[in-house]
Amino acid sequence: MEQPVLTWRTPPELLDPIRSFLGAIDLDPCGHPASLVRATRQILPPESGLDAQWAGRVFCNPPYSDPKPWVSKCAIFGLGPGEVVALLKLDPSTSWWPPCWWGSVVFLAKRVRYVGPEGQGNSANFPSALVYWGRRHSEVRSHLAHLGRVVSPIPLRRA
């Protein structure tokens, strides 16, 4: 008999400050019917959030089993026309992490306590980070610093 897939949802303790910073979330490319993100548009399987057109303000909590293509898409979109906040496993030693340094990284002070199917919490067994790609790096600290240490990219000077 096939076991049901447990869904661990991003908690309001993270989503509320993200909404305070971004405003309404336009897109959740890694959606689930029980999601707490409340995005205007939610991409659900079998549709692929990687193949979809992204627009506006995006919150992305990609599959931890394969974050590399998601981090790349987040960085490209956030360095272009949009804004993205991604919730990621904190692991700068991986091959997928380098594009995170192009954004503002919030090193979360506490382990994420995901919301389970019955409302119970389950803490991650690893540290996590929020990464913001967009044009408002100077505002990240004022909205998200209470969650942990913030490191923002150094602005490039034009000659």
Side-chain angles (χ1 to χ4, degrees), residues 13-14 20 28 33 64 69 73 125:
E13 296 80 39
L14 288 180
S20 172
D28 177 358
Y64 287 2
K73 180 134 184 174
N125 60 358

Side-chain angles (χ1 to χ4, degrees), residues 48-65:
S48 168
L50 284 171
D51 296 333
Q53 183 72 30
W54 288 18
R57 296 162 300 215
V58 176
F59 173 76
C60 185
N61 183 357
Y64 287 2
S65 60

Side-chain angles (χ1 to χ4, degrees), residues 59-141:
F59 173 76
C60 185
N61 183 357
Y64 287 2
S65 60
D66 187 22
K68 189 172 189 165
W70 294 96
V71 168
S72 294
K73 180 134 184 174
C74 287
I76 290 167
F77 181 71
L79 293 170
E83 291 185 281
V84 181
V85 173
L87 173 58
L88 302 167
K89 180 178 183 179
L90 176 57
D91 195 351
S93 68
T94 62
S95 65
W96 56 264
W97 185 266
C100 295
W101 296 124
W102 304 338
S104 290
V105 180
V106 181
F107 296 86
L108 296 176
K110 297 179 183 176
R111 300 269 167 114
V112 175
R113 190 167 182 82
Y114 292 94
V115 178
E118 305 298 321
Q120 77 279 22
N122 189 27
S123 292
N125 60 358
F126 48 81
S128 300
L130 294 174
V131 181
Y132 168 76
W133 294 273
R135 293 178 186 83
R136 299 188 295 147
H137 294 284
S138 63
E139 297 176 39
V140 172
R141 193 170 313 282

Side-chain angles (χ1 to χ4, degrees), residues 5-9 28 30-37 42-45:
V5 176
L6 292 179
T7 299
W8 296 98
R9 300 168 291 167
D28 177 358
C30 300
H32 184 277
S35 173
L36 301 175
V37 175
Q42 186 175 196
I43 298 175
L44 303 170

